[in-house]
Amino acid sequence: MKKDIDIPEVTDVYVAAVREEHEEYGSLDWNAYLINDLAETLESVLIVSRGYDGTRETSVMRHSIAKLPPQSFAKVEFLQDDVLQLNNEFSVSFFAEGKMFHKKFVFKKNSINEKALREVPVMQKKGVLLK
């Protein structure tokens, strides 16, 4: 039965960690974003995130986005400095083109840092990008 389920490959949908100044506190914070670089709207987006390593694990966070239009992005969550020392996994499921898509994005521990910054599509900002 499971072998009969066709889940197509995810392309042009990314997760990025972007360093931004917090307007109220004036601090530099890392935020995770979901980016839709497709020509299609993503519908019923479900994101499950968690941080982990061999001995530590964070709480599981669940997020939903009803619709994410083409060539757009949405903030998923704030990333505390403590969790950057862990592997940070974002399990993303959505509907597009009448099909269900799913992909896991994993930031390896300590990979979210200033040295790893590069241009992030759609956002026109610098961040750490997972494809």
Side-chain angles (χ1 to χ4, degrees):
M1 274 56 95
K2 190 175 181 180
K3 63 181 170 65
D4 297 327
I5 299 172
D6 178 38
I7 299 178
E9 181 181 354
V10 174
T11 59
D12 299 325
V13 174
Y14 316 113
V15 173
V18 177
R19 189 103 194 229
E20 301 172 303
E21 185 174 346
H22 190 284
E23 291 181 20
E24 187 175 340
Y25 299 114
S27 60
L28 284 176
D29 299 332
W30 288 100
N31 295 299
Y33 284 88
L34 180 65
I35 301 167
N36 178 9
D37 199 12
L38 291 170
E40 300 282 331
T41 296
L42 307 185
E43 297 184 26
S44 302
V45 181
L46 299 173
I47 305 162
V48 178
S49 63
R50 68 187 187 108
Y52 62 91
D53 66 9
T55 58
R56 300 176 292 171
E57 190 168 339
T58 66
S59 298
V60 174
M61 305 286 286
R62 292 170 178 82
H63 312 277
S64 67
I65 302 167
K67 292 186 182 211
L68 188 59
Q71 303 296 307
S72 68
F73 56 91
K75 186 175 177 179
V76 176
E77 69 184 32
F78 163 69
L79 299 170
Q80 293 181 347
D81 288 337
D82 293 347
V83 302
L84 301 180
Q85 301 168 13
L86 305 172
N87 296 314
N88 286 277
E89 177 182 285
F90 293 84
S91 182
V92 180
S93 300
F94 60 90
F95 288 94
E97 305 168 359
K99 299 176 188 171
M100 180 181 171
F101 291 81
H102 176 80
K103 185 170 183 176
K104 279 188 185 176
F105 298 89
V106 180
F107 290 103
K108 298 292 183 188
K109 61 183 178 178
N110 299 312
S111 66
I112 300 174
N113 61 61
E114 295 288 331
K115 294 177 187 172
L117 293 176
R118 60 186 251 198
E119 194 67 31
V120 176
V122 180
M123 293 185 74
Q124 308 307 321
K125 292 184 177 186
K126 293 209 181 267
V128 180
L129 182 69
L130 293 178
K131 292 185 174 188

